[in-house]
Amino acid sequence: IAALQKGGDSFPLTVASGKVLGKALRSCDKSSKPVYVSVGHKISLDKAVRLTHSCCRYRVPEPIRQAALCFCCFHRGDTN
């Protein structure tokens, strides 16, 4: 994790056999905790990391952040 100096830096997460399971990504300069990214359907790991980083204004990617905010508002009873 010390290798993640600035937003956009990443490093591979591997198992003992050497297989890469995903990457740890420092999503923004202010974040101290990495976001973990893995491959998806028809997308490479490197593209998934770039896409995730492009969606990050804060630590959590914006689509997930917005969904969490809507969920919290819904359960508080806010309708706006």
Side-chain angles (χ1 to χ4, degrees):
I1 292 177
L4 303 176
Q5 299 296 315
K6 64 185 185 319
D9 287 352
S10 66
F11 68 86
L13 303 168
T14 59
V15 292
S17 67
K19 180 179 179 181
V20 176
L21 299 179
K23 285 192 174 184
L25 167 69
R26 185 166 182 176
S27 54
C28 65
D29 289 334
K30 293 181 180 181
S31 176
S32 60
K33 296 180 184 177
V35 171
Y36 298 98
V37 181
S38 60
V39 296
H41 182 67
K42 294 189 177 186
I43 189 169
S44 69
L45 181 56
D46 289 333
K47 284 184 183 179
V49 168
R50 285 194 306 269
L51 178 63
T52 301
H53 182 246
S54 72
C55 293
C56 292
R57 290 192 324 169
Y58 305 101
R59 178 182 176 264
V60 178
E62 199 62 23
I64 295 170
R65 184 175 167 274
Q66 289 297 319
L69 290 172
C70 288
F71 180 80
C72 290
C73 290
F74 177 77
H75 283 284
R76 273 198 329 244
D78 297 348
T79 56
N80 297 353

